[in-house]
Amino acid sequence: MTNSSTHIYLNPIRSDRVEDFERFLEAVKVAVDAQRPDLRDRWHVLRAAGPGDKDSGVTTYAFIFDGGDLDADWDLNVLMPARYGQEEAGRLMSEAAGTYATFRDWVASLGEHDE
């Protein structure tokens, strides 16, 4: 049975590392297209645009996955090594991990808020 849920994930990326993160997304796209062409049109990436992104130091990305099982279908720990091999996939994913902003910086980038 196919899961018809839509999954949404928000990812805080350091604004000074956006280009690196987007290169990683291109590698993910290649892996998905090669390993799971059935998922090709079932995921979307949205990048928040606002005047405060550079000032705040954090750019938020939203990922929308249409259906499927998060572990069985969307796990990058499976998709990336299948395309790039274990060593290169590990390198790519490690570099991507370095682009993430801290939760504290992300929350601070949202401006004033209730504690």
Side-chain angles (χ1 to χ4, degrees):
M1 176 182 274
T2 301
N3 183 342
S4 62
S5 297
T6 298
H7 311 280
I8 300 173
Y9 283 89
L10 300 178
N11 291 273
I13 303 302
R14 293 175 30 198
S15 294
D16 64 337
R17 300 289 309 275
V18 162
E19 289 179 11
D20 297 327
F21 184 70
E22 290 189 357
R23 272 193 296 278
F24 173 71
L25 291 180
E26 285 299 317
V28 170
K29 180 184 179 313
V30 169
V32 170
D33 288 352
Q35 301 304 313
R36 293 295 306 271
D38 58 307
L39 300 177
R40 182 176 293 137
D41 295 324
R42 294 177 45 204
W43 68 292
H44 309 279
V45 180
L46 304 172
R47 176 180 167 183
D53 288 352
K54 289 184 181 177
D55 294 337
S56 72
V58 178
T59 301
T60 301
Y61 283 77
F63 291 81
I64 302 169
F65 302 101
D66 295 322
D69 179 271
L70 290 178
D71 294 325
D73 297 317
W74 302 109
D75 188 350
L76 293 183
N77 291 312
V78 173
L79 290 170
M80 296 297 280
R83 172 67 176 132
Y84 297 105
Q86 196 65 41
E87 187 175 322
E88 179 64 5
R91 185 190 69 75
L92 289 166
M93 294 189 50
S94 178
E95 286 180 4
T99 66
Y100 282 84
T102 65
F103 182 74
R104 181 180 298 269
D105 289 343
W106 189 27
V107 170
S109 76
L110 301 175
E112 292 188 31
H113 55 280
D114 294 332
E115 291 295 324

